[in-house]
Amino acid sequence: MLYPQTNRNRTVLDISGIWKFQVDPEDFGETQGWFKNLETDIEIAVPGSWNEQLEELGLLHYVGAAWFGTAIFIPSEFAGRRIWLRIGSADYSAKVWVNGTLAGENGNGFLPFEFDVTRFVVPGEAATLAVRVDSRLTNETIPQGILTQDYADEKRLREETFPPARFDFSPFGGIHRPVKLYTTPSSYIHDIKVDTSILQGQKGVMVARVLAKEAEGMTLLCRVVGAGTHPNTSSLVRKDEATLDLHVDDCRYWSPADPYLYKLVVELMNNGEVVDTYTLDVGVREVRIRGNSLLLNGEPIYLKGFGRHEDFAVTGKGLVLPVVVKDFQLMKWVHANSFRTSHYPYAEETMAMADRQGFLVIDEVPAVSLDMRHVNEGTLKAHKEFIRKLFDRDHNHPSVIMWALGNEPNLVGEDGYCNGSGKKYWKEVFSFARTLDPSRPMTVPNCQRAGIEDPVFEFSDIIAINRYYGWYEYPGRLDFAIKVLEREMDALHSKYGKPLMMTEFGADTVPGLHSTSDQLFTEQYQEKMLEMYIRLLRSKSYTVGEHVWNFADFRTPQHFRRVLLNMKGVFTRSRQPKLAAFKLKSLWSESEKK
Ligand code: GCB
């Protein structure tokens, strides 16, 4: 799916802003026709979560349906063009009406969706937009949901959170990314997928698969703009498609040290006229695994960085561009070169910035803490659909060097997971994902509880582990914790013979709390624990990365083990550094792994 862009054939209009809002806990909005007229005085910012914005209306923990409405004006210049309505994300599902008519639905939170709304609007006239967002999750959604009753039924009352969630981040609801109208011509470039590889002698190859609609027999012209030499290529559109091979001599490869982006200009031509244009940023790079190493353009690369969250005070999960910029600044300051989009796809604006800033990204499908006892055919179907849509959205990002197809299955220790349900499930998920993208390594971060027999290890290209020895286990006993960890890492490596990375390790830390001895929650304890883990990881020849949990403190559902936030951030929720930030900065400024 292409990100909307304004160029000589296309126009984008951002219609985010302050919209009308109404919760619908009884779920009668649709039968009462709220999509025709949303009568309310309540206002809300789009993008933004309702939870903290409207806390005073009792919505901090609200999970359910809610309505968003706005009046827009369709510019006269849109006449004769195809008009699209695109929502960057709405969590977790949404139904959209334009001028009172249903335009479509979407069941994939964290992902963009769009509808051709040309027939519902009149250029030069006003129009109304209504969106019903539902933040409820079920056993058949990705992520999976949980109900209050389930904790009792599963005899896990001590684990009950409010609101209930299968994961450790607040289930914020809302329209979380920008809403845009954009136009295309009636014959248009619908999609472009570029695969890149490198050849001996500083040569780069881009293979562009272009999908063009209503364009049978037209010509696609591809031009590369940037360093080196690169002839133009053209191809006829047959059955909506064309594949173009572009060769770049003296190619400047994309890497964290030189995140060089070519511009790939694609033009749809009819009788010598340019009918549509799209310009895509392309980084030429190749990711491989060889032996114990992760290679970028043939060179070993070691990942230093964080598991993160999209989370900020008041705005919740809503996209705030200054926070995106600040977070990249802080990651650069601390000498991180990578991050994982734990535990869901991040905003397209963030992914594009990672391309430009040279960050290596592990892009995660929100199959977080899947409970195999509640997984059924519907869950598997939803999981595959999510993978297909995420791969589709993020295929062209050079920054995306690996997919995480989920996180921490078997968190609650289901019987039979390791030698039964888990193996069958993950085998299916991995082989499906590999048919869609054979070029990138794939993994699923494993939780300690699933142990070293977790079937995800067999299918993963890189062993990814989340470990909290010294925190949830062996609290305060760091020397012992590190010994246990080392034994386990060595056992994993000798069993699977694959590169290993630590995708999570960390300690909750209250800023301002200090101690001269090892004491949980102090800034010294976090600093010491992170350093001990990092020194161990670097002493092993088979490790390829260290991602600290977490970049910044983030809001979680209520539970006695969380004081509003998960406080494992190296930065506070408002992005102030804790002591450990300075330690990481010094450890990560060493250029070599050891
Ligand atoms: C984990 C989860 C992450 C939690 C973290 C923690 O293993 O992957 O979502 O936030 O532990 O702090 O408990």
Side-chain angles (χ1 to χ4, degrees), residues 112-142:
F113 53 100
E114 61 184 18
F115 310 111
D116 181 341
V117 296
T118 320
R119 64 188 187 285
F120 306 130
V121 296
V122 180
E125 289 187 17
T128 62
L129 191 60
V131 185
R132 177 189 176 279
V133 176
D134 196 328
S135 64
R136 283 171 290 191
L137 294 168
T138 70
N139 286 328
E140 286 92 39
T141 54
I142 297 293

Short mmCIF file of all heavy atoms in Angstrom, two decimals, residues 112-142:
data_model
loop_
_atom_site.label_atom_id
_atom_site.label_comp_id
_atom_site.label_asym_id
_atom_site.label_seq_id
_atom_site.Cartn_x
_atom_site.Cartn_y
_atom_site.Cartn_z
N PRO A 112 -2.93 1.06 8.22
CA PRO A 112 -3.76 1.99 7.46
C PRO A 112 -4.83 1.26 6.65
O PRO A 112 -4.66 0.09 6.31
CB PRO A 112 -2.75 2.66 6.52
CG PRO A 112 -1.62 1.69 6.40
CD PRO A 112 -1.59 0.88 7.66
N PHE A 113 -5.91 1.96 6.37
CA PHE A 113 -6.92 1.41 5.46
C PHE A 113 -7.53 2.56 4.68
O PHE A 113 -7.52 3.71 5.12
CB PHE A 113 -7.98 0.60 6.22
CG PHE A 113 -8.63 1.33 7.37
CD1 PHE A 113 -9.88 1.91 7.23
CD2 PHE A 113 -7.98 1.43 8.60
CE1 PHE A 113 -10.49 2.58 8.30
CE2 PHE A 113 -8.58 2.10 9.67
CZ PHE A 113 -9.83 2.67 9.52
N GLU A 114 -8.03 2.23 3.49
CA GLU A 114 -8.53 3.30 2.63
C GLU A 114 -9.69 2.79 1.78
O GLU A 114 -9.81 1.59 1.54
CB GLU A 114 -7.42 3.85 1.74
CG GLU A 114 -6.80 2.83 0.81
CD GLU A 114 -5.63 3.39 0.00
OE1 GLU A 114 -5.07 4.43 0.37
OE2 GLU A 114 -5.28 2.77 -1.02
N PHE A 115 -10.52 3.76 1.38
CA PHE A 115 -11.67 3.43 0.53
C PHE A 115 -11.75 4.44 -0.59
O PHE A 115 -11.48 5.62 -0.39
CB PHE A 115 -12.97 3.48 1.34
CG PHE A 115 -12.91 2.70 2.63
CD1 PHE A 115 -12.91 3.34 3.86
CD2 PHE A 115 -12.83 1.31 2.61
CE1 PHE A 115 -12.84 2.62 5.04
CE2 PHE A 115 -12.76 0.58 3.79
CZ PHE A 115 -12.76 1.24 5.01
N ASP A 116 -12.17 3.94 -1.74
CA ASP A 116 -12.46 4.85 -2.86
C ASP A 116 -13.84 5.46 -2.57
O ASP A 116 -14.84 4.74 -2.57
CB ASP A 116 -12.47 4.03 -4.16
CG ASP A 116 -12.75 4.90 -5.38
OD1 ASP A 116 -13.27 6.02 -5.21
OD2 ASP A 116 -12.47 4.44 -6.50
N VAL A 117 -13.87 6.76 -2.28
CA VAL A 117 -15.14 7.38 -1.87
C VAL A 117 -15.70 8.31 -2.96
O VAL A 117 -16.60 9.11 -2.69
CB VAL A 117 -14.98 8.16 -0.53
CG1 VAL A 117 -14.64 7.20 0.60
CG2 VAL A 117 -13.93 9.27 -0.63
N THR A 118 -15.16 8.18 -4.16
CA THR A 118 -15.56 9.11 -5.24
C THR A 118 -17.08 9.20 -5.38
O THR A 118 -17.64 10.30 -5.51
CB THR A 118 -14.96 8.64 -6.59
OG1 THR A 118 -13.63 8.16 -6.36
CG2 THR A 118 -14.93 9.75 -7.60
N ARG A 119 -17.74 8.05 -5.32
CA ARG A 119 -19.19 8.07 -5.59
C ARG A 119 -20.02 8.60 -4.42
O ARG A 119 -21.21 8.84 -4.55
CB ARG A 119 -19.68 6.68 -5.99
CG ARG A 119 -19.56 5.62 -4.93
CD ARG A 119 -19.90 4.24 -5.54
NE ARG A 119 -19.96 3.20 -4.54
CZ ARG A 119 -18.91 2.63 -3.95
NH1 ARG A 119 -17.68 3.06 -4.23
NH2 ARG A 119 -19.06 1.67 -3.07
N PHE A 120 -19.39 8.80 -3.25
CA PHE A 120 -20.15 9.26 -2.09
C PHE A 120 -20.10 10.78 -1.90
O PHE A 120 -20.76 11.31 -1.02
CB PHE A 120 -19.62 8.63 -0.80
CG PHE A 120 -19.59 7.12 -0.83
CD1 PHE A 120 -18.44 6.43 -0.47
CD2 PHE A 120 -20.71 6.40 -1.23
CE1 PHE A 120 -18.42 5.05 -0.50
CE2 PHE A 120 -20.69 5.01 -1.25
CZ PHE A 120 -19.53 4.32 -0.90
N VAL A 121 -19.24 11.46 -2.66
CA VAL A 121 -19.04 12.90 -2.41
C VAL A 121 -19.17 13.70 -3.71
O VAL A 121 -19.09 13.14 -4.80
CB VAL A 121 -17.65 13.18 -1.79
CG1 VAL A 121 -17.53 12.52 -0.43
CG2 VAL A 121 -16.52 12.72 -2.71
N VAL A 122 -19.35 15.01 -3.55
CA VAL A 122 -19.44 15.89 -4.72
C VAL A 122 -18.37 16.98 -4.59
O VAL A 122 -18.39 17.75 -3.63
CB VAL A 122 -20.84 16.55 -4.81
CG1 VAL A 122 -20.93 17.46 -6.04
CG2 VAL A 122 -21.93 15.51 -4.81
N PRO A 123 -17.41 17.04 -5.53
CA PRO A 123 -16.40 18.10 -5.45
C PRO A 123 -17.07 19.47 -5.46
O PRO A 123 -18.05 19.69 -6.18
CB PRO A 123 -15.55 17.88 -6.71
CG PRO A 123 -15.72 16.41 -7.00
CD PRO A 123 -17.13 16.08 -6.62
N GLY A 124 -16.53 20.35 -4.61
CA GLY A 124 -17.13 21.69 -4.51
C GLY A 124 -18.25 21.74 -3.49
O GLY A 124 -18.91 22.75 -3.33
N GLU A 125 -18.49 20.62 -2.78
CA GLU A 125 -19.54 20.61 -1.75
C GLU A 125 -19.02 20.02 -0.44
O GLU A 125 -18.02 19.32 -0.43
CB GLU A 125 -20.75 19.80 -2.23
CG GLU A 125 -21.50 20.54 -3.32
CD GLU A 125 -22.80 19.87 -3.71
OE1 GLU A 125 -23.29 19.02 -2.94
OE2 GLU A 125 -23.30 20.21 -4.79
N ALA A 126 -19.80 20.28 0.63
CA ALA A 126 -19.43 19.74 1.94
C ALA A 126 -19.79 18.26 2.02
O ALA A 126 -20.61 17.77 1.22
CB ALA A 126 -20.15 20.52 3.04
N ALA A 127 -19.19 17.57 2.97
CA ALA A 127 -19.52 16.16 3.19
C ALA A 127 -19.34 15.85 4.67
O ALA A 127 -18.65 16.58 5.39
CB ALA A 127 -18.59 15.27 2.35
N THR A 128 -19.99 14.79 5.12
CA THR A 128 -19.79 14.39 6.52
C THR A 128 -19.08 13.05 6.56
O THR A 128 -19.20 12.22 5.66
CB THR A 128 -21.12 14.24 7.29
OG1 THR A 128 -21.88 13.21 6.65
CG2 THR A 128 -21.89 15.52 7.34
N LEU A 129 -18.37 12.88 7.66
CA LEU A 129 -17.61 11.65 7.86
C LEU A 129 -17.93 11.15 9.26
O LEU A 129 -17.93 11.92 10.21
CB LEU A 129 -16.13 12.04 7.76
CG LEU A 129 -15.12 10.94 7.68
CD1 LEU A 129 -15.39 10.10 6.45
CD2 LEU A 129 -13.73 11.56 7.59
N ALA A 130 -18.24 9.86 9.36
CA ALA A 130 -18.48 9.26 10.69
C ALA A 130 -17.68 7.98 10.78
O ALA A 130 -17.64 7.19 9.83
CB ALA A 130 -19.96 8.97 10.88
N VAL A 131 -17.00 7.80 11.91
CA VAL A 131 -16.20 6.59 12.11
C VAL A 131 -16.58 5.98 13.46
O VAL A 131 -16.52 6.65 14.49
CB VAL A 131 -14.69 6.90 12.11
CG1 VAL A 131 -13.87 5.62 12.20
CG2 VAL A 131 -14.28 7.70 10.87
N ARG A 132 -17.00 4.73 13.41
CA ARG A 132 -17.26 4.01 14.66
C ARG A 132 -16.02 3.15 14.95
O ARG A 132 -15.68 2.27 14.16
CB ARG A 132 -18.49 3.12 14.54
CG ARG A 132 -18.78 2.29 15.77
CD ARG A 132 -19.89 1.27 15.49
NE ARG A 132 -20.13 0.39 16.62
CZ ARG A 132 -19.40 -0.68 16.92
NH1 ARG A 132 -18.34 -1.00 16.17
NH2 ARG A 132 -19.69 -1.44 17.96
N VAL A 133 -15.36 3.46 16.06
CA VAL A 133 -14.16 2.71 16.44
C VAL A 133 -14.53 1.79 17.59
O VAL A 133 -15.28 2.19 18.49
CB VAL A 133 -13.02 3.67 16.88
CG1 VAL A 133 -11.81 2.90 17.36
CG2 VAL A 133 -12.64 4.58 15.72
N ASP A 134 -14.03 0.58 17.56
CA ASP A 134 -14.31 -0.35 18.66
C ASP A 134 -12.98 -0.88 19.18
O ASP A 134 -12.19 -1.42 18.41
CB ASP A 134 -15.18 -1.51 18.14
CG ASP A 134 -15.83 -2.28 19.28
OD1 ASP A 134 -15.21 -2.37 20.35
OD2 ASP A 134 -16.96 -2.79 19.08
N SER A 135 -12.73 -0.69 20.47
CA SER A 135 -11.42 -1.10 21.00
C SER A 135 -11.46 -2.48 21.65
O SER A 135 -10.51 -2.88 22.32
CB SER A 135 -10.88 -0.05 21.98
OG SER A 135 -11.70 0.03 23.11
N ARG A 136 -12.57 -3.20 21.46
CA ARG A 136 -12.63 -4.55 22.05
C ARG A 136 -11.86 -5.57 21.21
O ARG A 136 -11.85 -5.49 19.99
CB ARG A 136 -14.09 -5.00 22.19
CG ARG A 136 -14.77 -4.34 23.37
CD ARG A 136 -16.24 -4.59 23.39
NE ARG A 136 -16.92 -3.87 22.31
CZ ARG A 136 -18.23 -3.74 22.22
NH1 ARG A 136 -19.01 -4.28 23.12
NH2 ARG A 136 -18.78 -3.08 21.21
N LEU A 137 -11.24 -6.50 21.90
CA LEU A 137 -10.49 -7.58 21.24
C LEU A 137 -11.10 -8.91 21.66
O LEU A 137 -11.71 -9.01 22.72
CB LEU A 137 -9.02 -7.52 21.67
CG LEU A 137 -8.24 -6.29 21.21
CD1 LEU A 137 -6.90 -6.18 21.93
CD2 LEU A 137 -8.04 -6.32 19.70
N THR A 138 -10.89 -9.94 20.85
CA THR A 138 -11.45 -11.26 21.15
C THR A 138 -10.37 -12.32 20.97
O THR A 138 -9.22 -12.00 20.66
CB THR A 138 -12.61 -11.58 20.17
OG1 THR A 138 -12.04 -11.81 18.87
CG2 THR A 138 -13.63 -10.47 20.09
N ASN A 139 -10.78 -13.57 21.09
CA ASN A 139 -9.83 -14.67 20.85
C ASN A 139 -9.42 -14.76 19.39
O ASN A 139 -8.41 -15.37 19.06
CB ASN A 139 -10.45 -16.01 21.26
CG ASN A 139 -10.48 -16.16 22.76
OD1 ASN A 139 -9.59 -15.64 23.44
ND2 ASN A 139 -11.49 -16.82 23.28
N GLU A 140 -10.24 -14.19 18.52
CA GLU A 140 -9.95 -14.31 17.08
C GLU A 140 -9.38 -13.03 16.49
O GLU A 140 -9.36 -12.87 15.27
CB GLU A 140 -11.22 -14.68 16.30
CG GLU A 140 -11.65 -16.10 16.47
CD GLU A 140 -12.62 -16.27 17.61
OE1 GLU A 140 -13.48 -15.38 17.77
OE2 GLU A 140 -12.52 -17.25 18.36
N THR A 141 -8.97 -12.09 17.34
CA THR A 141 -8.34 -10.87 16.79
C THR A 141 -6.85 -10.93 17.08
O THR A 141 -6.39 -11.66 17.95
CB THR A 141 -8.92 -9.60 17.45
OG1 THR A 141 -8.81 -9.71 18.87
CG2 THR A 141 -10.37 -9.38 17.05
N ILE A 142 -6.12 -10.13 16.32
CA ILE A 142 -4.68 -9.94 16.56
C ILE A 142 -4.50 -8.48 16.90
O ILE A 142 -4.79 -7.64 16.04
CB ILE A 142 -3.85 -10.32 15.30
CG1 ILE A 142 -4.03 -11.80 14.97
CG2 ILE A 142 -2.39 -9.98 15.48
CD1 ILE A 142 -3.44 -12.76 15.97
#
